[in-house]
Amino acid sequence: MSEVERKRPSTIHEVARLAGVSHTTVSRYLQDKDNLKPKTRLKVEYAVKALDYRPNLAARSMRTRRTNRLAIVLATGPHFPGRALAAAAETAHQAGYQIEIVSVEGGPRARAARIDELARSGQVDGILAMSSIDLKSAKSLSVPLVRSESHDEKLRVLGELAGATEVREIIEYLAGLGHRTFLHVAGDQEYSSARNRKSVYLETIERLGLRSVGVVDGDWSAQSGYDAITALPADCGVTAVVAANDVVAMGVIRGARSRGWEVPRDLSVFGWDDEAMGQFATPSLSTVSVDREAQARDAIHRLLAEIQGKPAPEPSARTLNHVIHRESTAPPPPRADGRSEAQ
C-alpha cells in the first residue's frame, strides 16, 4: 500500500463491508446508534474504530441542509463543569455532531438573547441550555432547544447533583460500625450542595442520638479539612469525619496524621466525588461516587431526538450518587477502659 493510499480517509462503504452490513446501517449508527441491535452496533463500532472512519460533515451538511453542529449555552463562572461537558461532547461526536460551547456573561436574559442569535444564525442544528434562561417559549426558535439547567449563575450544580441523601447512609453506616462522635467539615455555604449535606448531617445525628463535636464551614479546600481537624481539642472524642468532598477529606487525613492519629485506626474519614486521587491514596478514601456525566448524556440524547423529529428517549437507567466503602473507614478504636465506643 502506498503512502497516498494509507492517508486516504476511509469511506462509509468500506466501514459497511468490514462490518458486514449495508451503508445505510452505518449511517443509522452515526445518527443514533442506540436504535441498532446490540450485535449490529458492536460490529459497526469495531469497523469505525478499525478504519479510523470520520464522517464527512461538510458533505452531509450539503446533503441534509444541516450543519451537524450543536451549541451548549451556560453561564460564566469559576467552576467550569468539565466532566459534564466532556460527556456531552463525546455523546454528540458519536452521533456525528460537533459541539460549540458558548459561555455567556450576564443573567438568564443575556443567555436567552444569545440563544436567539444562535438559532437565527443557521450555524447550529440544536441548542442545549445548561444554565437558566429567561425564554418564555422555545417554539419561536428555528432550531430545537433542550433545557437541562443543571448549573446556576456561578456554575454551581443544581437539582439531583446537589443532593445529600447519601450523607444519611454514610452516618448510618458509620454508626453501625460503632461510631458515636462525629465531625462534619462542610463546603462553602453559598452552594446548595453544601447546605443540603450540612442539613442532612445535623438531622441524622439528632435522629440517631449521636454526638457531633461541630460543623466547620469550609471552602472545599484541603486546607479547610486540615485546619478543622488540627483545631480539635485533644479530648474531643471524635472518631468519624464526614467531609464535604474528597479534597477536604484528604486535608482531614493529613491533619490527623500530623496529630499522630492514624486513619482508619483512630479516625474514619468519608469524602464525596470519588476523585482519582482518593482511589489511589493511602488509605484509599471512602466516598460518594457522583455521575456528573449522566445528565449531560441524557440531555444530548433528548436534543438529538428533537432534531431528528423523534420522541424524547427515556432517561438512562442510572444512579447519580452512590456510596463507596474503602480503606479510610473502620470500627472506632477501643476506649481507654477497653470498651468500644458503642458499649
Side-chain angles (χ1 to χ4, degrees), residues 100-118:
E100 179 180 351
I101 297 171
V102 183
S103 181
V104 182
E105 294 184 355
R109 288 187 179 181
R111 287 188 292 277
R114 186 69 179 100
I115 284 172
D116 185 62
E117 290 175 4
L118 286 167

Side-chain angles (χ1 to χ4, degrees), residues 4 7 94 191 230 233 255 263 278 306 311 329 334:
V4 172
K7 290 183 177 180
Q94 289 173 351
Y191 291 70
T230 54
V263 177
E306 287 269 358
T329 49

Side-chain angles (χ1 to χ4, degrees), residues 137-303:
S137 175
K139 293 181 179 180
S140 60
L141 298 177
S142 57
V143 300
L145 168 70
V146 165
R147 306 181 197 224
S148 173
E149 301 186 3
S150 53
H151 293 76
D152 71 5
E153 298 303 299
K154 295 185 179 180
L155 295 184
R156 298 172 294 203
V157 294
L158 299 171
E160 293 175 285
L161 292 178
T165 57
E166 291 74 22
V167 172
R168 186 176 299 115
E169 181 181 344
I170 289 168
I171 296 174
E172 289 173 348
Y173 169 76
L174 291 169
L177 292 179
H179 292 275
R180 293 294 177 269
T181 305
F182 290 73
L183 170 72
H184 179 40
V185 186
D188 187 336
Q189 293 301 295
E190 284 191 10
Y191 291 70
S192 60
S193 56
R195 296 193 302 272
N196 293 342
R197 291 168 203 170
K198 178 179 178 178
S199 176
V200 173
Y201 169 84
L202 292 171
E203 178 272 324
T204 307
I205 290 291
E206 181 178 2
R207 177 172 58 84
L208 297 179
L210 303 171
R211 174 174 174 253
S212 174
V213 299
V215 174
V216 179
D217 291 339
D219 59 2
W220 305 110
S221 70
Q223 187 67 53
S224 68
Y226 182 91
D227 292 344
I229 206 72
T230 54
L232 290 174
D235 60 351
C236 66
V238 65
T239 63
V241 177
V242 180
N245 65 11
D246 290 350
V247 175
V248 174
M250 297 304 292
V252 169
I253 292 174
R254 183 66 184 87
R257 287 185 171 173
S258 74
R259 300 188 62 151
W261 300 350
E262 288 299 319
V263 177
R265 185 193 67 192
D266 303 308
L267 188 72
S268 287
V269 180
F270 242 100
W272 195 291
D273 280 337
D274 193 22
E275 300 289 357
M277 64 173 182
Q279 299 176 35
F280 295 100
T282 303
S284 58
L285 185 63
S286 293
T287 187
V288 177
S289 176
V290 180
D291 192 346
R292 300 183 184 279
E293 296 81 3
Q295 281 187 324
R297 286 193 293 265
D298 282 348
I300 291 295
H301 283 307
R302 284 164 50 204
L303 182 56

